[in-house]
Amino acid sequence: MTIAYHVEIADAHAHLWRVTLTVPRPAPLQRLSLPVWIPGSYLVREFARHLSALEARQGTRAVALTQLDKATWQAACDGRGALVVTYLVYAFDTSVRAAYLDAERGFFNGTSVCLRVEGREEEPHTLTLGALPRGWQVATAMPAQPGKARAWTAADYHELVDHPFTLGRFWHGRFDAAGVPHEFVVTGAWPGFDGERLLADVKKICEAQIALWHGRRRRDVPFARYVFMLHATEDGYGGLEHRASTALIASRRDLPRKDAPSGNGPADGYVNLLGLISHEYFHTWNVKRLRPAEFARLDYARENYTSLLWFFEGFTSYYDDLVLVRAGLIDEARYLKLLAKTVNGVLGTPGRTVQSVAQASFDAWVKYYRCDENTPNATVSYYTKGALVALALDLALRAGGHGSLDDLLRRLWQRSGGGAIGEADIVDVVRAQAGDAIADDLHHWVHGTDDLPLAPLLARFGVTLAPDASAPALAAALGLRVSEGPVSGVQVKTVLRGSAAERAGVAAGDELIAVDGWRVRRLDDAQAWVAPGARFELLLVRDQRVRRVDVQWPAQPARPVQITLDAQAPAAAVALRRAWLRP
């Protein structure tokens, strides 16, 4: 017998799964625990808070369960037969990280529903599903048990919880990429959704990435089958990678439509969706297999710290949009606009001068997933700045005649056998490929807080990075991030460090009422009568009290940058650019 889980619908309207766990040959004091986090999302999420009604027995004998901590129970077994534990899981989390159930669909990750049998993690595990509503289908990349319906098997607990399940009535498509079967399921799409276009475009992404990692050695693809699981919602965006699948959430309006007008390239929302798909698929290599040394053996009971998310998330973020242009899904100008958005996001974050991208990686557990009004002032995103580190390294390698970042990734893959690596491994490969100077540059970019030398690097590729000539909007010029407020329509979410708004005494949470005595519902409306560089009076409300502050519109506000093709670039620069964007 194997460690076995039976998952069934207890009450769809109450959003309850019922799980039955069977443990053959349990220890006299058998510990069971639920993970507190899910790999790929670096925050302790306390999934055990959704468990209830735990009961245990051996045969007809009730077994006492003692809770030892927030997510661990101990069963007092007597050695006579298998331990059978039943419990309910409340499932109403619409994200990709946990579990969901209603009358229309179901979804779960093993980290939310499968108690870990401590000490037995390396043994085979099986999972079966109970009866499902008429017409429901099941999608998962977990290998099916031969000859059994709704039954799957995993080599160990780690594989078990790395295969999410999607259940319900869904659109289902298939394609082969480099000879490997891929499936795509979509729930919640509007009528008129163009599934055939989605399949064709995603196939191009997959083939481009397989070629990047394996070149002509397509037989080395590290999975035999891959499943994309997308849930379309009114307004959502996100994804979580797994070893042979990914769970995705996107807005319905971002899916391709059969009646969409042709010309002008794909819509922005669809490009963002393709970028998300590209990102999560790239993780199949970069973090699920090639992974931080600290993740070689995951601890499901606590934080797993690493300073390398700049590489595993940041470098993946660099390639997600780059693959789109290489696959022919967007043109070079469109790609450079996406790149400019990333650059402006980093330059607009004062925290980039406070925290290195390596420190940001280590602090992900307490900072990245716990954003507040001061986050932009205190930290930098290892996604976006990590992507720019990858860009700088790729350009430096190519411009110096030292190959490319593609080559470096393949060398890392071969050196590690597609396994765990540390920062020293990355630096060693850079040093071997390009010498000490670029290796030292990489260390400075990762552990320092200076801005990256992107403009001169891009110039060598016939690409211009320069400030936008247009004047920034008033809120941006003042260093404010605002949203709709309950009274005035303008509420301050963030005041950037060193900004004009901070000097004037504006604070997060303030509601902005009027400018120079005129009521405003959008702060930028005041540009109709306030000139750049002028002083004005701002009326605001804080803690139910009305206040007036004098604000100086900066004479030389920071401007966002544009990244464009240089029409006058010499032939050598154009050749470098083509090798970079169209290899």
Side-chain angles (χ1 to χ4, degrees), residues 151-172:
W152 296 265
T153 184
D156 51 36
Y157 183 80
H158 314 291
E159 181 181 353
L160 177 84
V161 298
D162 208 11
H163 289 298
F165 280 71
T166 288
L167 307 92
R169 299 174 183 88
F170 47 69
W171 179 90
H172 186 198

Side-chain angles (χ1 to χ4, degrees), residues 16 41 103 140 272 276 398 405 423 447 449 520 535 542 568 571:
L16 292 173
S41 184
T140 182
N272 288 340
L276 174 65
R398 292 173 181 274
L405 190 56
E423 184 172 338
H447 294 278
T449 57
V520 292
R535 298 187 69 86
R542 182 184 305 161
Q568 306 301 318

Side-chain angles (χ1 to χ4, degrees), residues 169 374 459 465 519:
R169 299 174 183 88
N374 192 52
L465 184 153
R519 176 73 178 271

